[in-house]
Coordinates of all heavy atoms in Angstrom, one line a residue:
M101 N -14.8 -7.8 7.3 CA -13.7 -8.7 7.4 C -12.4 -8.0 7.1 O -12.3 -7.3 6.1 CB -13.9 -9.9 6.5 CG -12.8 -10.9 6.6 SD -13.3 -12.3 5.6 CE -11.7 -13.1 5.5
L102 N -11.4 -8.2 7.8 CA -10.1 -7.5 7.6 C -9.1 -8.5 7.1 O -9.0 -9.6 7.5 CB -9.6 -7.0 9.0 CG -8.4 -6.1 9.0 CD1 -8.7 -4.8 8.2 CD2 -8.0 -5.8 10.4
S103 N -8.4 -8.1 6.0 CA -7.4 -9.0 5.4 C -6.3 -8.2 4.8 O -6.4 -7.0 4.6 CB -8.0 -9.9 4.3 OG -8.5 -9.1 3.3
I104 N -5.2 -8.8 4.5 CA -4.0 -8.2 3.9 C -3.7 -9.0 2.7 O -3.7 -10.3 2.7 CB -2.8 -8.1 4.8 CG1 -3.2 -7.1 5.9 CG2 -1.6 -7.6 4.1 CD1 -2.1 -6.9 6.9
K105 N -3.4 -8.4 1.5 CA -3.1 -9.1 0.3 C -2.0 -8.3 -0.4 O -1.8 -7.1 -0.3 CB -4.3 -9.4 -0.5 CG -4.8 -8.2 -1.4 CD -5.8 -8.6 -2.4 CE -6.0 -7.6 -3.5 NZ -6.8 -8.0 -4.6
V106 N -1.3 -9.1 -1.2 CA -0.3 -8.5 -2.1 C -1.1 -7.9 -3.3 O -1.9 -8.6 -3.9 CB 0.7 -9.6 -2.6 CG1 1.6 -9.0 -3.7 CG2 1.5 -10.2 -1.5
L107 N -0.8 -6.6 -3.5 CA -1.5 -5.9 -4.6 C -0.7 -6.2 -5.9 O 0.5 -6.3 -5.9 CB -1.7 -4.5 -4.3 CG -2.5 -4.1 -3.1 CD1 -2.6 -2.6 -2.9 CD2 -3.8 -4.8 -3.1
I108 N -1.4 -6.2 -7.0 CA -0.8 -6.4 -8.3 C -1.1 -5.3 -9.3 O -1.8 -4.4 -8.9 CB -1.2 -7.8 -8.9 CG1 -2.8 -7.8 -9.0 CG2 -0.7 -9.0 -8.0 CD1 -3.3 -9.1 -9.7
E109 N -0.5 -5.4 -10.5 CA -0.6 -4.3 -11.4 C -2.0 -3.8 -11.7 O -2.2 -2.6 -11.9 CB 0.2 -4.7 -12.7 CG 0.8 -3.5 -13.4 CD 1.8 -3.9 -14.5 OE1 2.4 -5.0 -14.3 OE2 1.8 -3.2 -15.5
R110 N -2.9 -4.7 -11.7 CA -4.3 -4.2 -12.0 C -4.9 -3.4 -10.9 O -5.9 -2.8 -11.0 CB -5.2 -5.4 -12.3 CG -5.6 -6.2 -11.1 CD -6.7 -7.2 -11.4 NE -7.1 -7.9 -10.2 CZ -7.0 -9.2 -10.1 NH1 -6.5 -10.0 -11.0 NH2 -7.3 -9.8 -8.9
D111 N -4.2 -3.3 -9.7 CA -4.6 -2.5 -8.6 C -4.0 -1.0 -8.6 O -4.3 -0.3 -7.7 CB -4.2 -3.1 -7.3 CG -4.9 -4.5 -7.1 OD1 -6.1 -4.6 -7.4 OD2 -4.2 -5.4 -6.7
I112 N -3.3 -0.7 -9.7 CA -2.7 0.6 -9.8 C -3.7 1.8 -9.6 O -3.4 2.7 -8.8 CB -1.9 0.8 -11.1 CG1 -0.7 -0.1 -11.1 CG2 -1.5 2.2 -11.4 CD1 0.0 -0.1 -12.5
D113 N -4.8 1.7 -10.2 CA -5.8 2.8 -10.1 C -6.3 3.0 -8.7 O -6.4 4.1 -8.2 CB -6.9 2.6 -11.1 CG -6.6 2.8 -12.5 OD1 -5.6 3.5 -12.8 OD2 -7.2 2.2 -13.4
L114 N -6.5 1.8 -8.0 CA -6.9 1.9 -6.6 C -5.8 2.5 -5.7 O -6.1 3.3 -4.8 CB -7.3 0.5 -6.1 CG -8.5 -0.1 -6.8 CD1 -8.6 -1.6 -6.3 CD2 -9.7 0.6 -6.5
C115 N -4.6 2.2 -6.0 CA -3.5 2.7 -5.2 C -3.3 4.2 -5.5 O -3.2 5.0 -4.5 CB -2.2 2.0 -5.6 SG -2.1 0.3 -5.1
Y116 N -3.4 4.6 -6.7 CA -3.3 6.0 -7.1 C -4.4 6.8 -6.4 O -4.2 7.9 -5.9 CB -3.3 6.1 -8.6 CG -3.2 7.6 -9.1 CD1 -2.1 8.3 -8.8 CD2 -4.2 8.1 -9.8 CE1 -2.0 9.6 -9.2 CE2 -4.2 9.4 -10.2 CZ -3.0 10.2 -9.9 OH -3.0 11.5 -10.4
E117 N -5.6 6.3 -6.5 CA -6.7 7.0 -5.9 C -6.6 7.2 -4.4 O -6.8 8.2 -3.8 CB -8.0 6.2 -6.2 CG -9.3 6.9 -5.7 CD -10.5 6.2 -6.0 OE1 -10.6 5.5 -7.1 OE2 -11.5 6.2 -5.2
L118 N -6.2 6.1 -3.7 CA -5.9 6.2 -2.2 C -4.8 7.2 -1.9 O -4.9 8.0 -1.0 CB -5.6 4.9 -1.6 CG -5.6 4.9 -0.1 CD1 -6.4 3.7 0.5 CD2 -4.2 4.9 0.5
D119 N -3.8 7.2 -2.7 CA -2.7 8.1 -2.6 C -3.2 9.6 -2.8 O -2.9 10.4 -2.0 CB -1.6 7.8 -3.6 CG -0.4 8.7 -3.5 OD1 -0.2 9.5 -2.6 OD2 0.5 8.6 -4.4
L120 N -4.0 9.8 -3.8 CA -4.5 11.2 -4.0 C -5.3 11.7 -2.9 O -5.3 12.8 -2.5 CB -5.4 11.2 -5.3 CG -4.7 11.3 -6.6 CD1 -5.7 11.3 -7.8 CD2 -3.9 12.6 -6.7
N121 N -6.1 10.7 -2.2 CA -7.0 11.1 -1.1 C -6.3 11.1 0.2 O -6.9 11.4 1.2 CB -8.1 10.2 -1.1 CG -9.0 10.3 -2.3 OD1 -9.2 11.4 -2.8 ND2 -9.6 9.2 -2.8
T122 N -5.0 10.8 0.3 CA -4.3 10.8 1.6 C -3.1 11.8 1.5 O -3.2 12.9 1.8 CB -3.8 9.4 2.0 OG1 -3.1 8.8 0.9 CG2 -5.1 8.5 2.3
V123 N -1.9 11.3 1.0 CA -0.7 12.1 1.0 C -0.3 12.7 -0.3 O 0.6 13.6 -0.3 CB 0.5 11.2 1.6 CG1 0.3 10.8 3.0 CG2 0.7 10.0 0.7
S124 N -0.9 12.3 -1.4 CA -0.6 12.8 -2.7 C 0.9 12.8 -3.0 O 1.5 13.8 -3.4 CB -1.2 14.2 -2.9 OG -2.6 14.2 -2.9
L125 N 1.5 11.6 -2.8 CA 2.9 11.5 -2.9 C 3.4 11.2 -4.3 O 4.3 11.8 -4.8 CB 3.4 10.5 -1.9 CG 4.9 10.3 -1.8 CD1 5.6 11.5 -1.2 CD2 5.2 9.1 -0.9
W126 N 2.7 10.2 -5.0 CA 3.2 9.8 -6.3 C 2.2 10.1 -7.4 O 1.0 10.0 -7.2 CB 3.4 8.2 -6.2 CG 4.6 7.8 -5.4 CD1 5.5 8.6 -4.8 CD2 4.8 6.5 -4.9 NE1 6.4 7.8 -4.1 CE2 6.0 6.5 -4.1 CE3 4.2 5.3 -5.2 CZ2 6.5 5.4 -3.6 CZ3 4.8 4.1 -4.6 CH2 5.9 4.2 -3.8
S127 N 2.8 10.3 -8.6 CA 2.0 10.4 -9.8 C 1.5 9.0 -10.3 O 2.1 8.0 -9.8 CB 2.7 11.1 -10.9 OG 3.8 10.3 -11.3
K128 N 0.6 9.0 -11.2 CA 0.2 7.7 -11.7 C 1.4 7.0 -12.4 O 1.5 5.8 -12.3 CB -0.9 7.9 -12.8 CG -1.5 6.6 -13.4 CD -2.9 6.4 -12.9 CE -3.4 5.2 -13.5 NZ -4.7 5.4 -14.1
E129 N 2.2 7.7 -13.1 CA 3.4 7.1 -13.7 C 4.3 6.5 -12.7 O 4.9 5.4 -12.9 CB 4.2 8.2 -14.5 CG 3.4 8.6 -15.8 CD 2.3 9.6 -15.5 OE1 2.4 10.4 -14.4 OE2 1.3 9.7 -16.2
Q130 N 4.5 7.2 -11.5 CA 5.3 6.6 -10.5 C 4.7 5.3 -9.9 O 5.5 4.4 -9.6 CB 5.5 7.6 -9.3 CG 6.5 8.8 -9.7 CD 6.5 9.9 -8.7 OE1 5.5 10.5 -8.4 NE2 7.7 10.1 -8.1
W131 N 3.4 5.2 -9.8 CA 2.8 4.0 -9.4 C 3.0 2.9 -10.4 O 3.3 1.8 -10.0 CB 1.3 4.2 -9.1 CG 1.0 4.8 -7.8 CD1 0.6 6.0 -7.5 CD2 1.1 4.1 -6.5 NE1 0.5 6.2 -6.1 CE2 0.7 5.0 -5.5 CE3 1.4 2.7 -6.2 CZ2 0.7 4.6 -4.2 CZ3 1.4 2.4 -4.9 CH2 1.0 3.3 -3.9
I132 N 2.9 3.2 -11.7 CA 3.1 2.2 -12.7 C 4.6 1.7 -12.6 O 4.8 0.5 -12.7 CB 2.8 2.9 -14.1 CG1 1.3 3.1 -14.3 CG2 3.4 2.0 -15.2 CD1 1.0 4.0 -15.4
N133 N 5.5 2.6 -12.5 CA 6.9 2.2 -12.4 C 7.2 1.4 -11.1 O 8.0 0.4 -11.2 CB 7.8 3.5 -12.3 CG 7.9 4.2 -13.7 OD1 7.6 3.6 -14.7 ND2 8.2 5.5 -13.7
E134 N 6.5 1.7 -10.0 CA 6.7 0.9 -8.8 C 6.2 -0.5 -9.0 O 6.9 -1.5 -8.5 CB 6.0 1.6 -7.6 CG 6.6 1.2 -6.3 CD 8.0 1.6 -6.0 OE1 8.5 2.5 -6.7 OE2 8.6 1.0 -5.1
F135 N 5.1 -0.7 -9.6 CA 4.6 -2.0 -9.9 C 5.4 -2.8 -10.9 O 5.5 -4.0 -10.8 CB 3.1 -2.0 -10.3 CG 2.1 -1.9 -9.2 CD1 1.7 -0.7 -8.7 CD2 1.7 -3.1 -8.6 CE1 0.8 -0.7 -7.7 CE2 0.8 -3.1 -7.6 CZ 0.3 -1.9 -7.1
K136 N 6.1 -2.1 -11.8 CA 7.0 -2.8 -12.7 C 8.3 -3.1 -12.1 O 9.0 -4.0 -12.5 CB 7.3 -1.9 -13.9 CG 6.1 -1.7 -14.8 CD 6.4 -0.9 -16.0 CE 5.2 -0.7 -16.9 NZ 5.5 0.2 -18.1
N137 N 8.7 -2.5 -11.0 CA 9.9 -2.8 -10.3 C 9.8 -4.1 -9.5 O 9.0 -4.3 -8.6 CB 10.2 -1.6 -9.2 CG 11.5 -1.8 -8.5 OD1 12.1 -2.9 -8.5 ND2 12.0 -0.8 -7.9
K138 N 10.6 -5.1 -10.0 CA 10.5 -6.4 -9.4 C 10.9 -6.5 -8.0 O 10.6 -7.5 -7.3 CB 11.4 -7.4 -10.3 CG 10.9 -7.5 -11.7 CD 9.5 -8.0 -11.8 CE 9.1 -8.1 -13.2 NZ 7.6 -8.3 -13.4
E139 N 11.7 -5.5 -7.5 CA 12.1 -5.5 -6.1 C 11.1 -4.9 -5.1 O 11.2 -5.1 -3.9 CB 13.4 -4.8 -5.9 CG 14.5 -5.5 -6.7 CD 15.9 -4.8 -6.5 OE1 16.0 -4.0 -5.6 OE2 16.8 -5.1 -7.3
A140 N 10.1 -4.3 -5.7 CA 9.0 -3.6 -4.9 C 8.0 -4.6 -4.5 O 7.6 -5.5 -5.3 CB 8.4 -2.5 -5.6
K141 N 7.5 -4.5 -3.3 CA 6.4 -5.3 -2.8 C 5.3 -4.3 -2.4 O 5.6 -3.3 -1.7 CB 6.7 -6.1 -1.6 CG 8.0 -7.0 -1.8 CD 7.7 -8.3 -2.5 CE 8.9 -9.2 -2.4 NZ 9.6 -9.4 -3.7
V142 N 4.0 -4.6 -2.8 CA 2.9 -3.7 -2.4 C 1.9 -4.5 -1.7 O 1.4 -5.5 -2.2 CB 2.3 -3.1 -3.7 CG1 1.2 -2.1 -3.3 CG2 3.4 -2.4 -4.6
L143 N 1.6 -4.1 -0.4 CA 0.6 -4.8 0.4 C -0.6 -3.8 0.6 O -0.4 -2.6 0.7 CB 1.2 -5.1 1.8 CG 2.3 -6.1 1.9 CD1 2.7 -6.3 3.3 CD2 1.9 -7.4 1.3
G144 N -1.7 -4.4 0.5 CA -2.9 -3.6 0.8 C -3.7 -4.2 2.0 O -3.7 -5.4 2.1
I145 N -4.2 -3.3 2.8 CA -5.1 -3.8 3.9 C -6.5 -3.6 3.4 O -6.9 -2.5 3.0 CB -4.8 -3.2 5.2 CG1 -5.7 -3.8 6.4 CG2 -4.9 -1.7 5.2 CD1 -5.2 -3.4 7.8
L146 N -7.3 -4.6 3.5 CA -8.7 -4.6 3.0 C -9.7 -4.7 4.1 O -9.5 -5.6 5.0 CB -8.9 -5.7 1.9 CG -8.3 -5.5 0.6 CD1 -6.8 -5.9 0.6 CD2 -9.0 -6.4 -0.4
F147 N -10.7 -3.9 4.1 CA -11.8 -4.0 5.0 C -13.1 -4.2 4.2 O -13.4 -3.4 3.4 CB -11.9 -2.7 5.9 CG -12.9 -2.8 6.9 CD1 -12.8 -3.6 8.0 CD2 -14.0 -2.0 6.9 CE1 -13.8 -3.7 9.0 CE2 -15.0 -2.0 7.9 CZ -14.9 -2.8 8.9
S148 N -13.7 -5.4 4.3 CA -14.8 -5.8 3.5 C -14.5 -5.6 2.0 O -15.3 -5.0 1.3 CB -16.1 -4.9 3.9 OG -16.4 -5.2 5.2
N149 N -13.4 -6.1 1.6 CA -12.9 -6.1 0.2 C -12.7 -4.7 -0.4 O -12.6 -4.5 -1.6 CB -13.9 -6.8 -0.7 CG -13.9 -8.3 -0.5 OD1 -12.8 -8.8 -0.1 ND2 -15.0 -8.9 -0.6
L150 N -12.5 -3.7 0.5 CA -12.2 -2.3 0.1 C -10.8 -2.0 0.6 O -10.5 -2.2 1.7 CB -13.2 -1.3 0.7 CG -12.9 0.2 0.5 CD1 -13.1 0.6 -0.9 CD2 -13.8 1.0 1.4
I151 N -9.9 -1.6 -0.3 CA -8.5 -1.2 0.0 C -8.6 0.1 0.9 O -8.9 1.1 0.4 CB -7.6 -1.1 -1.2 CG1 -7.5 -2.4 -1.9 CG2 -6.2 -0.6 -0.8 CD1 -6.7 -2.4 -3.2
I152 N -8.2 -0.1 2.1 CA -8.2 1.1 3.0 C -6.8 1.6 3.4 O -6.7 2.6 4.0 CB -9.0 0.8 4.3 CG1 -8.4 -0.3 5.1 CG2 -10.5 0.5 3.9 CD1 -9.0 -0.4 6.5
G153 N -5.8 0.8 3.0 CA -4.4 1.2 3.3 C -3.4 0.5 2.4 O -3.8 -0.6 1.9
I154 N -2.3 1.1 2.2 CA -1.3 0.5 1.3 C 0.1 0.7 2.0 O 0.4 1.8 2.6 CB -1.3 1.2 0.0 CG1 -2.6 1.1 -0.7 CG2 -0.2 0.7 -0.9 CD1 -2.8 1.9 -1.9
C155 N 0.9 -0.3 1.8 CA 2.4 -0.2 2.1 C 3.2 -0.7 1.0 O 2.9 -1.8 0.4 CB 2.6 -1.1 3.4 SG 4.4 -1.1 3.8
V156 N 4.1 0.1 0.5 CA 5.1 -0.2 -0.5 C 6.4 -0.3 0.1 O 6.9 0.6 0.8 CB 5.1 0.8 -1.7 CG1 6.0 0.4 -2.8 CG2 3.7 0.9 -2.3
F157 N 7.1 -1.4 -0.1 CA 8.5 -1.6 0.5 C 9.4 -2.3 -0.5 O 8.9 -3.0 -1.4 CB 8.4 -2.2 1.8 CG 7.9 -3.6 1.8 CD1 8.7 -4.7 1.8 CD2 6.5 -3.9 1.8 CE1 8.3 -6.0 1.8 CE2 6.0 -5.2 1.8 CZ 6.9 -6.2 1.8
H158 N 10.7 -2.2 -0.2 CA 11.7 -2.9 -1.0 C 12.5 -3.7 0.1 O 12.8 -3.2 1.1 CB 12.6 -2.0 -1.7 CG 12.0 -1.2 -2.8 ND1 12.7 -0.8 -3.9 CD2 10.8 -0.8 -3.0 CE1 11.9 -0.2 -4.7 NE2 10.7 -0.2 -4.2
V159 N 12.7 -5.0 -0.2 CA 13.6 -5.8 0.7 C 15.0 -5.6 0.3 O 15.4 -5.8 -0.9 CB 13.2 -7.3 0.6 CG1 14.2 -8.1 1.5 CG2 11.8 -7.5 1.1
V160 N 15.9 -5.1 1.2 CA 17.3 -4.9 1.0 C 18.0 -5.8 2.0 O 18.0 -5.5 3.2 CB 17.7 -3.4 1.1 CG1 19.1 -3.2 0.8 CG2 16.8 -2.5 0.2
L161 N 18.6 -6.9 1.5 CA 19.3 -7.8 2.3 C 18.3 -8.3 3.4 O 17.3 -9.0 3.1 CB 20.6 -7.3 2.9 CG 21.6 -6.9 1.9 CD1 22.8 -6.2 2.6 CD2 22.1 -8.1 1.1
D162 N 18.5 -8.0 4.7 CA 17.6 -8.5 5.7 C 16.8 -7.4 6.3 O 16.3 -7.4 7.4 CB 18.5 -9.1 6.8 CG 19.4 -8.2 7.5 OD1 19.7 -7.1 6.9 OD2 19.9 -8.5 8.6
E163 N 16.6 -6.3 5.5 CA 15.8 -5.2 6.0 C 14.7 -4.8 4.9 O 14.8 -5.2 3.8 CB 16.7 -3.9 6.2 CG 17.8 -4.1 7.2 CD 18.6 -2.9 7.3 OE1 18.5 -1.9 6.5 OE2 19.5 -2.9 8.2
A164 N 13.7 -4.1 5.4 CA 12.7 -3.6 4.5 C 12.8 -2.1 4.5 O 12.8 -1.4 5.5 CB 11.3 -4.1 4.9
Q165 N 12.8 -1.5 3.3 CA 12.8 0.0 3.2 C 11.4 0.4 2.8 O 10.9 0.0 1.7 CB 13.8 0.4 2.1 CG 13.7 1.9 1.8 CD 14.7 2.3 0.8 OE1 15.8 1.8 0.7 NE2 14.3 3.2 -0.1
V166 N 10.6 1.0 3.6 CA 9.3 1.4 3.3 C 9.3 2.7 2.5 O 9.9 3.7 3.0 CB 8.4 1.6 4.6 CG1 7.0 2.1 4.3 CG2 8.4 0.3 5.4
N167 N 8.7 2.7 1.4 CA 8.7 3.8 0.5 C 7.3 4.6 0.5 O 7.3 5.7 0.0 CB 9.0 3.4 -1.0 CG 10.4 2.9 -1.1 OD1 11.3 3.3 -0.3 ND2 10.7 2.1 -2.1
F168 N 6.3 3.9 0.9 CA 5.0 4.5 0.9 C 4.1 3.7 2.0 O 4.2 2.5 2.0 CB 4.3 4.4 -0.5 CG 2.9 5.0 -0.5 CD1 2.8 6.3 -0.9 CD2 1.8 4.3 -0.2 CE1 1.6 6.9 -1.0 CE2 0.5 4.9 -0.3 CZ 0.4 6.2 -0.7
F169 N 3.4 4.5 2.8 CA 2.5 3.9 3.8 C 1.4 4.9 4.0 O 1.6 6.1 4.4 CB 3.3 3.7 5.1 CG 2.5 2.8 6.0 CD1 2.8 1.4 6.1 CD2 1.6 3.3 6.9 CE1 2.1 0.6 7.0 CE2 0.9 2.5 7.8 CZ 1.2 1.2 7.8
A170 N 0.2 4.5 3.8 CA -1.0 5.4 4.0 C -2.2 4.6 4.3 O -2.4 3.5 3.8 CB -1.2 6.3 2.7
V171 N -3.1 5.2 5.1 CA -4.4 4.6 5.4 C -5.4 5.7 5.1 O -5.2 6.9 5.5 CB -4.5 4.2 6.9 CG1 -5.9 3.8 7.3 CG2 -3.4 3.1 7.2
D172 N -6.5 5.3 4.5 CA -7.6 6.2 4.2 C -8.0 7.0 5.4 O -8.1 6.4 6.5 CB -8.8 5.4 3.6 CG -9.9 6.3 3.1 OD1 -10.5 7.1 3.9 OD2 -10.2 6.1 1.9
H173 N -8.3 8.3 5.3 CA -8.7 9.1 6.4 C -9.8 8.6 7.2 O -9.8 8.7 8.5 CB -9.0 10.5 5.9 CG -7.9 11.3 5.3 ND1 -6.9 11.8 6.1 CD2 -7.6 11.6 4.0 CE1 -6.0 12.5 5.3 NE2 -6.4 12.3 4.1
K174 N -10.8 8.0 6.6 CA -12.0 7.4 7.3 C -11.6 6.3 8.2 O -12.4 6.0 9.1 CB -13.0 7.0 6.3 CG -13.6 8.1 5.5 CD -14.6 7.6 4.5 CE -13.9 7.3 3.2 NZ -14.6 6.9 2.1
Y175 N -10.5 5.7 8.0 CA -10.1 4.5 8.8 C -8.9 4.7 9.7 O -8.4 3.7 10.3 CB -9.9 3.3 7.8 CG -11.1 2.9 7.0 CD1 -11.3 3.5 5.7 CD2 -12.0 2.1 7.5 CE1 -12.4 3.2 5.0 CE2 -13.2 1.8 6.8 CZ -13.4 2.3 5.5 OH -14.5 2.0 4.8
R176 N -8.5 5.9 9.9 CA -7.4 6.2 10.7 C -7.8 6.2 12.2 O -9.0 6.3 12.5 CB -6.8 7.6 10.4 CG -6.1 7.5 9.1 CD -5.4 8.8 8.8 NE -4.7 8.7 7.5 CZ -4.2 9.8 6.9 NH1 -4.2 11.0 7.5 NH2 -3.6 9.6 5.7
N177 N -6.8 6.0 13.1 CA -7.1 5.9 14.5 C -8.0 4.8 15.0 O -8.7 4.9 16.0 CB -7.6 7.3 15.1 CG -6.6 8.4 14.8 OD1 -5.4 8.3 15.0 ND2 -7.1 9.5 14.3
K178 N -8.0 3.7 14.2 CA -8.7 2.5 14.5 C -7.9 1.3 14.5 O -8.3 0.2 14.7 CB -9.9 2.3 13.5 CG -10.9 3.5 13.5 CD -11.9 3.3 12.4 CE -13.0 4.3 12.4 NZ -12.8 5.6 12.8
G179 N -6.5 1.5 14.4 CA -5.6 0.3 14.5 C -5.3 -0.3 13.2 O -4.5 -1.3 13.2
F180 N -5.8 0.1 12.1 CA -5.6 -0.6 10.8 C -4.1 -0.4 10.3 O -3.5 -1.3 9.8 CB -6.6 -0.1 9.7 CG -8.0 -0.4 10.0 CD1 -8.9 0.6 10.2 CD2 -8.4 -1.7 10.1 CE1 -10.3 0.3 10.4 CE2 -9.7 -2.0 10.4 CZ -10.7 -1.0 10.5
G181 N -3.6 0.8 10.5 CA -2.2 1.1 10.1 C -1.3 0.2 11.0 O -0.3 -0.3 10.5
A182 N -1.5 0.1 12.3 CA -0.7 -0.7 13.2 C -0.8 -2.2 12.8 O 0.2 -2.9 12.8 CB -1.2 -0.5 14.6
Y183 N -2.0 -2.6 12.4 CA -2.2 -4.0 12.0 C -1.3 -4.3 10.7 O -0.6 -5.3 10.6 CB -3.7 -4.2 11.7 CG -4.0 -5.7 11.3 CD1 -4.2 -6.6 12.3 CD2 -4.2 -6.0 10.0 CE1 -4.5 -7.9 12.0 CE2 -4.5 -7.3 9.6 CZ -4.7 -8.3 10.6 OH -5.0 -9.5 10.3
L184 N -1.4 -3.3 9.8 CA -0.6 -3.5 8.5 C 0.9 -3.5 8.8 O 1.7 -4.3 8.3 CB -1.0 -2.4 7.5 CG -0.2 -2.4 6.2 CD1 -0.4 -3.7 5.4 CD2 -0.8 -1.2 5.3
M185 N 1.4 -2.6 9.7 CA 2.8 -2.5 10.0 C 3.2 -3.8 10.8 O 4.3 -4.3 10.5 CB 3.1 -1.3 10.9 CG 4.5 -1.1 11.1 SD 5.6 -0.9 9.6 CE 5.1 0.7 9.0
K186 N 2.4 -4.3 11.7 CA 2.8 -5.5 12.4 C 2.9 -6.7 11.4 O 3.8 -7.5 11.5 CB 1.7 -5.9 13.5 CG 1.8 -5.0 14.7 CD 0.7 -5.3 15.7 CE 0.7 -4.2 16.8 NZ -0.4 -4.4 17.7
Y187 N 2.0 -6.7 10.4 CA 2.1 -7.8 9.4 C 3.4 -7.6 8.6 O 4.1 -8.6 8.3 CB 0.9 -7.6 8.4 CG 0.9 -8.7 7.4 CD1 0.2 -9.9 7.6 CD2 1.5 -8.5 6.1 CE1 0.1 -10.9 6.6 CE2 1.4 -9.5 5.1 CZ 0.8 -10.6 5.4 OH 0.7 -11.6 4.4
L188 N 3.8 -6.4 8.2 CA 5.0 -6.2 7.5 C 6.2 -6.6 8.3 O 7.1 -7.3 7.8 CB 5.1 -4.7 7.2 CG 6.4 -4.2 6.5 CD1 6.6 -4.9 5.2 CD2 6.5 -2.7 6.4
I189 N 6.2 -6.3 9.6 CA 7.4 -6.7 10.5 C 7.5 -8.2 10.6 O 8.6 -8.7 10.6 CB 7.2 -6.0 11.8 CG1 7.4 -4.5 11.7 CG2 8.2 -6.6 12.8 CD1 7.0 -3.7 12.9
K190 N 6.4 -8.9 10.6 CA 6.5 -10.4 10.7 C 7.1 -10.9 9.4 O 7.8 -11.9 9.4 CB 5.1 -11.0 10.9 CG 4.6 -10.8 12.3 CD 3.2 -11.5 12.4 CE 2.7 -11.4 13.8 NZ 1.4 -12.0 13.9

C-alpha cells in the first residue's frame, strides 16, 4: 500500500538513515534542526509502512522551496518520486 504522510520529530532517525543511504546530504544535527524549524514541512512516501522517500520543503509566500528530496535506491525508477512530487505540487 502506498501512502504519503507528514513526518514528525520521532521520525528523525528514519530520515537520517534514508539520507545516509542515498545522498548523504545532512548530518543528524541538521535533521534535528530541520524538524525544529516551524516553517519546514517533511513528507514521507511509505510503501507497506516503510519510508521509501522523503521531501523537505519550506513554504515561502505562494511557493515551496524544496530543500531535500530523495527516494531509496531500491525504489527508484518505479514512479514513487514522481508520485511524491505530484502530491507536493497539489
